[in-house]
Amino acid sequence: MRNAPTILHLDMDAFFASAEQASKPSLRGKAVVVGGLGPRGVVATASYEARVFGVHSAMPMAQARRLAPNAAYLVPRFGFYRAISEQVMGLLRGLSPLVEPLSLDEAFVDLEAGGAAWDGESARLAGVKLRGDIRAVTGLTGSVGLAASKMLAKIASEQAKPDGLVLIEPGTERALLGPMSVRILPGVGPATGDHLRRAGIHTVEEIVEAGEDELVRLLGKAHGHGLYAMAMAYDERPVVAERETKSVSVEDTYDVDIHDRVRVGFEVQRLADRCVRRLRGAGLSGRTIVLKVRRYDFSTLTRSETLRGPTDDPAVVREAAARLLESVDTTGGVRLLGVGVSGLADYTQEDLFAQAAGERVELGEEGDEEAVVEEEVVVAERRWVSGHDVEHAEFGHGWVQGSGLGRVTVRFETPDSLPGRVRTFSVDDPLLAVAEPLPLVRVGCGVSGLRPDLGSHPHHP
């Protein structure tokens, strides 16, 4: 453990929802929910205004609509979020060579490794400057935690939300952790939490009181030792600049079960092509092709085939995925399909004949490999997606509020405009076209004078 709070954890505030609010002036200060809008969709992110009603991430979208019927419900724009994330990660890498991204909106930074901080005061100044830079570059807010370890820095950023900074002074960690729920510790999920609760252990201090031997007896050697160390505020995990990607995969969730075997096969081929595009974009190839099928009854099957050499050839991946599909019964219907490639390498085996004779392996239920997953919620037969950008030849840039019955409703506004007017068009209006998102902050302008309040004061929409 270091003796200065020079590990920083950044967590952008309600990232997807905040980006949508910043992009759409009419939604600022209102409840916004981003996620899959189909009957099986789930919430990806809810704005702080929506959280007042009990809406939270991973909640079924149908439940969210019951809790907050007047919220704005939008389909994610992942390309837009990635572009903002790249801006934020660039700012972090300006602080240190040791930046460990955890997701699009979250990362650890070793400030000491970059000379950006060496004690509590310099760490606080670095955190304050970072938050200001993020606001200036993206128009969004992020919460910062500073501590002497990764675990404590993450806990601090959670305490700082929204739009704040919390620094945990070395030496105060045990007193801070003691009264907290055991669920605050990394690795304590619902199952472990329930197991500890049945043993009468509810807080971190009660873990310490129970002792390491009791934890080992309850949870096993590896988990017990690790959890006891963290309860004692001991965490020596370093900030790792590059987290090794174990697999690249794509998934589609369908509004309506697919029963047609030909359609299932077509979807698998399409997913294989998308997966290869992502693989090539990352400059990678892989030896193991993975097929994921979630059936009508929520049972999830994973099948894989390992080739003799790594590939990034779309034909090889398509053929392997098709072979894997042959072993899966889809008679009752399919609700989700995914294709992935693991066993990654930065070179390609050119011998396609060798690849064709692969070794097939069944993984059974959900695999536990860490995956880079791009999930796309498929909206059948919809041309205009709620929340996505459009351009009208006469009225300019706007976004889709909704569509149906041959009509599409568009609100015309931009990130630096006032809330715009709403107009309705035929879905096949030749003057209306899909558009790229506009930047939240114009280059050279700093933060727009119309920058939204991104959730410090949640209220009814």
Side-chain angles (χ1 to χ4, degrees), residues 218-340:
L218 288 171
L219 305 175
K221 188 173 182 180
H223 199 181
H225 285 312
L227 191 59
Y228 184 78
M230 288 190 174
M232 295 289 290
Y234 185 79
D235 178 18
E236 288 284 7
R237 293 174 300 160
V239 176
V240 181
E242 295 295 334
R243 302 176 73 204
E244 182 181 358
T245 300
K246 295 183 180 179
S247 67
V248 173
S249 61
V250 294
E251 295 179 356
D252 279 351
T253 302
Y254 303 95
D255 282 351
V256 179
D257 287 348
I258 302 176
H259 293 84
D260 183 351
R261 183 74 176 186
V262 174
R263 167 81 189 283
V264 173
F266 171 78
E267 292 294 329
V268 167
Q269 298 294 289
R270 188 176 61 83
L271 287 164
D273 287 341
R274 274 176 50 204
C275 183
V276 169
R277 286 198 296 272
R278 295 201 66 224
L279 196 68
R280 288 181 167 180
L284 298 170
S285 60
R287 296 182 66 238
T288 302
I289 314 304
V290 182
L291 175 70
K292 178 179 177 182
V293 180
R294 180 166 297 150
R295 298 185 291 192
Y296 70 99
D297 59 357
F298 285 90
S299 62
T300 302
L301 302 177
T302 306
R303 301 287 184 265
S304 73
E305 179 176 310
T306 299
L307 310 173
R308 292 182 180 175
T311 185
D312 66 352
D313 187 289
V316 174
V317 176
R318 283 197 301 267
E319 290 170 8
R323 287 193 296 272
L324 294 169
L325 180 61
E326 292 173 2
S327 67
V328 179
D329 180 11
T330 61
T331 305
V334 171
R335 60 188 295 125
L336 176 148
L337 290 167
V339 173

Side-chain angles (χ1 to χ4, degrees), residues 2-69:
R2 57 186 72 188
N3 56 13
T6 52
I7 292 181
L8 179 148
H9 181 259
L10 170 72
D11 196 351
M12 299 294 288
D13 299 322
F15 182 48
F16 295 174
S18 292
E20 296 296 349
Q21 289 176 315
S23 177
K24 301 171 172 63
S26 59
L27 298 184
R28 294 169 186 172
K30 297 182 179 179
V32 174
V33 180
V34 179
L37 301 191
R40 293 167 176 164
V42 297
V43 175
T45 308
S47 70
Y48 287 98
E49 295 87 351
R51 296 179 192 188
V52 171
F53 300 100
V55 180
H56 58 76
S57 299
M59 171 182 286
M61 192 62 76
Q63 182 181 355
R65 288 185 183 276
R66 289 192 295 270
L67 293 172

Side-chain angles (χ1 to χ4, degrees), residues 146-169:
L146 294 158
S149 70
K150 290 168 71 172
M151 178 183 73
L152 272 298
K154 187 172 174 64
I155 290 173
S157 70
E158 188 63 32
Q159 291 183 324
K161 282 187 166 294
D163 191 18
L165 182 151
V166 168
L167 183 150
I168 299 177
E169 292 285 356

Side-chain angles (χ1 to χ4, degrees), residues 6-10 92 95 107-111 126-127 130 144-146 153:
T6 52
I7 292 181
L8 179 148
H9 181 259
L10 170 72
L92 298 183
L95 290 173
F108 287 110
V109 183
D110 188 332
L111 297 175
L130 172 64
V144 166
L146 294 158

